[in-house]
Amino acid sequence: MIALRFVRQNRSSFALVAAVAQVPFTLWWGLPILFRLHEAITVYHLPMRFASGWVFEVSIILIGIPLCILLGGMFDTSDALSRR
């Protein structure tokens, strides 16, 4: 109930809080892949074309997920529906 009142007043603040709340999950999923990627490139000298899958996964997890949360929280669907 408190969250609903807060969202109506400060939508961008609530989106930021939601993104910050998911930082531990994002790091939990993204950092092991990032460490494996770093090890594969520096220790085993794996060419980047073979590591491109890990680069894609890390970029989606560490950049894409928080960005989608922030962008989704910034746009107000009720305002868009009321304009029609």
Short mmCIF file of all heavy atoms in Angstrom, two decimals, residues 21 25 76:
data_model
loop_
_atom_site.label_atom_id
_atom_site.label_comp_id
_atom_site.label_asym_id
_atom_site.label_seq_id
_atom_site.Cartn_x
_atom_site.Cartn_y
_atom_site.Cartn_z
N ALA A 21 17.72 -2.26 -5.91
CA ALA A 21 17.36 -3.48 -5.18
C ALA A 21 17.78 -4.73 -5.95
O ALA A 21 18.02 -5.78 -5.34
CB ALA A 21 15.86 -3.51 -4.91
N PHE A 25 21.35 -9.32 -7.30
CA PHE A 25 21.05 -10.40 -8.23
C PHE A 25 21.83 -10.25 -9.52
O PHE A 25 22.33 -11.23 -10.07
CB PHE A 25 19.55 -10.45 -8.54
CG PHE A 25 18.71 -10.78 -7.36
CD1 PHE A 25 17.78 -9.87 -6.90
CD2 PHE A 25 18.86 -11.99 -6.70
CE1 PHE A 25 17.00 -10.17 -5.80
CE2 PHE A 25 18.09 -12.29 -5.61
CZ PHE A 25 17.15 -11.39 -5.15
N ASP A 76 5.38 6.33 -17.93
CA ASP A 76 4.13 6.17 -17.21
C ASP A 76 3.06 5.72 -18.19
O ASP A 76 2.69 6.46 -19.11
CB ASP A 76 3.74 7.49 -16.55
CG ASP A 76 2.56 7.35 -15.62
OD1 ASP A 76 2.16 6.20 -15.36
OD2 ASP A 76 2.07 8.37 -15.17
#
